Amino acid sequence: MNLDRRSIYELLGIVLITLILYWPSTQFDFVNYDDQVYVLENAFVQSPTMNSLLDGSGTGNFHPLTMISLWLDHTLGNGSAQMYHVSNVLWHLLNTVLVFFLVQRILSNHRGVPFFVALLFAIHPMHIESVAWISSRKDLVYTFFYLSALIVYNQYLMKQQKQFLVYTLVLGVLSLLSKPAAITLPVALALLYYWESGTIQAKKLLELAPLFLGSIIIGLLTIQLQSNDAINDLETYSVVERMGFALYGIYYYTIQSIWPSGLVAMHPYPAGDEMTSISFIAPMLGGIIMLLLAAWGFKKDRKLRFGILFYLLNLVLMLQLVSIGRAIVAERYTYLSYLGLFLVFGVLLSSITKIKENKSSFYVLGIIVGGLFFFISIKQVRVWENSETLWSKAIQENPQDWYGYIGRGNYYQEIGKEAKALADFEKAIQVAPDQIDNYFNLGDLQYKMLQVKKAVATYSLAIEQRPDYEQAYINRGQFYIALQDGASALADFNQAIALNPNSYLAYNNRGNLYLMVGNIAEAVADFNKSIEINPDYANAWYNRGTALLNSDLKSAQRDLEQAVTINPGYFDAYNNLGSLYYQKNDLERASWAFTQALQINEHAGSVWLNLSVVKNSLGDYRGALESALSAQKEGAQVADSYLNQLRSNIR
């Protein structure tokens, strides 16, 4: 790598401006846009096991190296958001340096182009999502190994030393293990060979066979992981519509590279009538024009060919030919693909006579374009500061998309701004009354705010929209119980069971209703059915155990013990177990059960008092006094005579 003084100054300048741009993001928080899935609630990141590493940890992707990098950040930063953001910035800096080196190698006679391309890569507004968003770590990690593989493969082509081919294959595997999008790498390597030699040899393709095989395996595994969630049914959109999405994407991504605007976390698919509007048809036609321009460039110059093909190659998986998720385009999809487009810009500009003659022109141009992009980017970086700023920008850009209102409403609810959350949830329903799950957000918040009648009305609207929605009846039935309307609650639970005879939740909730009115036999029968359908549902075991406390202690003990086995964090089950053990004069186990409950909720005054009574019976008077004082501190009524008795026993 040619690291002369000029190159060092260029790199230092790019690194400095990139740090100035992104360093504020190191103080940002998590956002409620996949950060729960990738970090906060991720099984591997929080408590790593080999199984959770290999099954994707619920992310819908197989990217173990990315998950390991997130786990390391969790460990080094004690779970704080700062370490994740610092790592993202460092990964991006490394990738920027690699872009500089790669362009310097493949365009060695084009002075200024490596600086121009690397600067665009470093600060382009479309790349902010990949850097400022923790959950986009996979883009950064796979790109690092992808670019490293390209650089090493270029070295192999220059030196023809086999160890560089081996290094290339290893780096390629690491890229595949970081994000499935790396399946394009073997084709990119073949393009690089074409760049250098002007031809493609079967022998060279065979050398890359391990990567082609790895790409097939990773691709099939990803399809399997996403088939039940992220990938939409092929029937959702027609072939013509999906082709339209692809043309729209080509136009959108290309125009955004030159004039980035409307940057936002979620770009939803157009609604049915929007697909025939001029706002969608025009970009589709623009996509066709872009492809025609690409064909012209393809014929004109081999270097242009490489850039165009690299751009399209790394974009094709993101063009929604197979629709994934609810976004028609996403800014993070440009992170690697724009390298090809920036190369095209660099080659075209370097062919202009005045720029070719004036060697400093690229630096002047880079500073002007970089300056414009920098000021757009520095504002956009702030959008990712927290969930409120993120979704407020989404709402500003797409006020008719319900997704932003739900995201911001969830954030407001999380931080205790319930009135603001309520307003956002109501707005989400207003703009998209057919999105049934949004009624759940509103109704559950209304219930939490003790607006139970409004919660019932909200769920009733959901049922009007979808009369066969089993879960709506289950939840509304619970609200009716809170209103002491047992008849309506029973009707809802019965309807849920009629819709789904295997609804263990409905059986469990109806059993609770029977238990409340003293119909023990019917309650136990429903709990039996709930457990039969789902033996891993801890609530049903707990409820049946509670129902049997006054009639069958042995069975009650079995059920409550099973409940805490399934759910070790089940506070109520430990508390009831403690009472049962005490009733059976099994004081040691009673003490254990109450202690377990207090480890879950140390502010439960009544449990502290129960533990005090048990310790007193065990002769641990000092422990009994300490527990009694804790009970009193947490608001439990503790008789002065009991405290005096304990003090006297200690003396």
Side-chain angles (χ1 to χ4, degrees):
M1 296 179 184
N2 184 22
L3 266 182
D4 55 19
R5 180 176 296 182
R6 176 174 54 85
S7 298
I8 292 173
Y9 288 154
E10 290 174 355
L11 267 177
L12 286 176
I14 293 171
V15 167
L16 179 61
I17 195 72
T18 307
L19 281 173
I20 293 172
L21 172 62
Y22 280 111
W23 199 250
S25 72
T26 62
Q27 304 303 314
F28 290 177
D29 201 354
F30 296 104
V31 294
N32 60 3
Y33 181 35
D34 282 358
D35 281 355
Q36 306 98 312
V37 175
Y38 278 90
V39 178
L40 297 173
E41 300 169 9
N42 187 277
F44 178 79
V45 172
Q46 300 298 322
S47 182
T49 65
M50 186 57 69
N51 285 340
S52 61
L53 178 65
L54 297 178
D55 66 7
S57 299
T59 62
N61 280 302
F62 181 70
H63 39 37
L65 280 186
T66 295
M67 298 314 300
I68 289 171
S69 78
L70 292 170
W71 166 72
L72 285 172
D73 286 342
H74 173 78
T75 303
L76 295 173
N78 294 318
S80 71
Q82 184 177 28
M83 189 66 211
Y84 296 98
H85 284 299
V86 170
S87 291
N88 271 23
V89 173
L90 293 178
W91 280 107
H92 181 56
L93 285 172
L94 289 172
N95 289 335
T96 299
V97 171
L98 290 176
V99 165
F100 182 91
F101 285 144
L102 177 63
V103 179
Q104 189 182 60
R105 293 181 69 88
I106 63 179
L107 289 174
S108 56
N109 296 324
H110 292 65
R111 182 177 174 181
V113 175
F115 169 79
F116 180 76
V117 172
L119 180 63
L120 289 184
F121 182 89
I123 66 171
H124 199 283
M126 289 287 281
H127 285 174
I128 288 168
E129 183 172 279
S130 293
V131 185
W133 183 25
I134 292 171
S135 294
S136 199
R137 172 69 59 81
K138 52 189 177 293
D139 291 330
L140 305 172
V141 180
Y142 104 90
T143 297
F144 173 80
F145 292 115
Y146 197 112
L147 294 172
S148 299
L150 289 171
I151 291 171
V152 173
Y153 189 65
N154 177 263
Q155 184 74 359
Y156 165 65
L157 295 176
M158 295 296 100
K159 302 292 186 181
Q160 289 299 311
Q161 296 174 354
K162 288 295 183 182
Q163 69 263 32
F164 291 112
L165 177 61
V166 174
Y167 299 154
T168 300
L169 297 177
V170 171
L171 290 166
V173 170
L174 294 176
S175 187
L176 285 169
L177 294 177
S178 302
K179 186 180 179 181
I183 62 174
T184 61
L185 176 58
V187 180
L189 294 170
L191 286 176
L192 188 59
Y193 175 72
Y194 172 74
W195 169 290
E196 296 293 348
S197 66
T199 185
I200 294 287
Q201 292 183 1
K203 176 185 175 182
K204 291 298 181 184
L205 292 179
L206 286 174
E207 289 178 343
L208 300 173
L211 278 186
F212 279 106
L213 178 61
S215 296
I216 292 171
I217 293 171
I218 293 294
L220 293 174
L221 183 58
T222 302
I223 291 172
Q224 181 181 354
L225 287 171
Q226 294 190 345
S227 59
N228 295 324
D229 185 18
I231 295 179
N232 299 317
D233 292 335
L234 293 178
E235 292 80 9
T236 304
Y237 299 105
S238 68
V239 173
V240 173
E241 287 172 332
R242 283 183 269 131
M243 290 297 295
F245 296 156
L247 291 171
Y248 177 94
I250 290 171
Y251 172 83
Y252 172 83
Y253 291 123
T254 306
I255 290 298
Q256 288 290 100
S257 71
I258 303 167
W259 190 256
S261 62
L263 305 180
V264 67
M266 177 57 64
H267 300 267
Y269 284 104
D273 55 342
E274 292 176 328
M275 290 189 188
T276 56
S277 68
I278 189 65
S279 62
F280 186 69
I281 297 296
M284 282 175 53
L285 296 175
I288 294 173
I289 294 172
M290 298 296 178
L291 289 176
L292 291 174
L293 287 173
W296 170 82
F298 193 86
K299 292 181 179 180
K300 188 174 180 62
D301 186 272
R302 193 166 81 209
K303 295 169 185 175
L304 289 178
R305 255 177 247 142
F306 175 84
I308 292 167
L309 289 175
F310 188 93
Y311 171 53
L312 294 176
L313 171 68
N314 285 284
L315 203 59
V316 68
L317 298 177
M318 317 302 178
L319 291 177
Q320 305 302 356
L321 290 167
V322 177
S323 54
I324 298 175
R326 69 179 306 273
I328 185 172
V329 291
E331 291 146 32
R332 62 189 177 276
Y333 294 162
T334 68
Y335 188 69
L336 180 60
S337 63
Y338 267 6
L339 173 56
L341 208 51
F342 296 159
L343 280 169
V344 170
F345 296 158
V347 171
L348 287 175
L349 289 170
S350 65
S351 66
I352 298 174
T353 304
K354 287 186 178 180
I355 294 178
K356 189 184 296 184
E357 292 174 353
N358 187 351
K359 299 299 183 182
S360 63
S361 296
F362 255 114
Y363 300 105
V364 174
L365 188 62
I367 290 170
I368 294 172
V369 174
L372 291 173
F373 283 165
F374 180 83
F375 286 110
I376 297 173
S377 294
I378 203 163
K379 183 178 179 181
Q380 182 63 19
V381 165
R382 289 288 181 186
V383 169
W384 290 89
E385 185 171 355
N386 56 50
S387 299
E388 181 179 24
T389 55
L390 180 69
W391 297 121
S392 293
K393 179 66 184 302
I395 291 167
Q396 177 187 332
E397 295 292 339
N398 296 311
Q400 294 305 308
D401 182 25
W402 59 268
Y403 200 84
Y405 296 105
I406 292 298
R408 191 173 67 177
N410 285 333
Y411 173 73
Y412 283 145
Q413 184 175 1
E414 181 183 340
I415 63 174
K417 294 183 177 181
E418 295 175 338
K420 286 189 171 184
L422 207 65
D424 275 346
F425 292 156
E426 288 172 345
K427 185 65 176 179
I429 291 174
Q430 180 185 330
V431 301
D434 58 330
Q435 291 293 325
I436 304 300
D437 290 342
N438 294 346
Y439 292 91
F440 281 46
N441 286 289
L442 177 59
D444 290 347
L445 179 56
Q446 289 169 330
Y447 180 74
K448 180 182 177 183
M449 296 174 69
L450 304 180
Q451 301 175 7
V452 185
K453 289 184 178 179
K454 288 185 177 181
V456 167
T458 298
Y459 269 84
S460 297
L461 289 174
I463 289 170
E464 286 179 17
Q465 290 284 334
R466 192 187 301 175
D468 61 347
Y469 201 175
E470 162 207 345
Q471 189 63 47
Y473 290 102
I474 294 174
N475 289 19
R476 191 176 69 172
Q478 290 296 104
F479 299 160
Y480 278 131
I481 289 177
L483 291 173
Q484 297 183 343
D485 186 351
S488 296
L490 182 61
D492 274 356
F493 295 145
N494 287 339
Q495 181 62 25
I497 291 169
L499 290 170
N500 179 13
N502 289 318
S503 177
Y504 64 91
L505 291 173
Y507 281 111
N508 178 71
N509 289 3
R510 191 174 71 176
N512 275 331
L513 179 62
Y514 285 139
L515 188 60
M516 290 172 61
V517 299
N519 192 341
I520 305 298
E522 292 288 349
V524 170
D526 272 354
F527 296 141
N528 288 342
K529 187 66 176 177
S530 182
I531 291 168
E532 176 188 331
I533 297 169
N534 184 4
D536 294 324
Y537 185 48
N539 284 14
W541 288 98
Y542 166 78
N543 289 331
R544 189 173 72 177
T546 301
L548 296 172
L549 276 174
N550 295 323
S551 59
D552 186 350
L553 282 183
K554 182 177 180 181
S555 296
Q557 178 179 332
R558 173 204 62 203
D559 285 356
L560 293 172
E561 288 175 346
Q562 182 64 19
V564 298
T565 299
I566 296 170
N567 179 10
Y570 207 147
F571 170 82
D572 289 333
Y574 283 116
N575 189 34
N576 280 10
L577 261 179
S579 298
L580 183 150
Y581 290 142
Y582 182 75
Q583 188 176 343
K584 295 177 67 176
N585 202 35
D586 190 345
L587 300 179
E588 292 289 350
R589 295 176 80 181
S591 176
W592 168 82
F594 288 133
T595 301
Q596 292 295 117
L598 289 167
Q599 286 179 357
I600 299 166
N601 180 10
E602 62 181 5
H603 300 296
S606 61
V607 181
W608 279 112
L609 187 55
N610 289 340
L611 181 60
S612 174
V613 171
V614 171
K615 288 186 174 182
N616 186 36
S617 299
L618 286 168
D620 180 6
Y621 304 122
R622 188 174 300 279
L625 179 60
E626 290 174 357
S627 296
L629 292 173
S630 294
Q632 194 174 55
K633 178 183 175 183
E634 298 298 341
Q637 295 295 320
V638 184
D640 289 339
S641 58
Y642 177 62
L643 292 173
N644 290 333
Q645 175 201 333
L646 293 175
R647 290 189 180 105
S648 126
N649 288 338
I650 293 173
R651 294 192 195 103

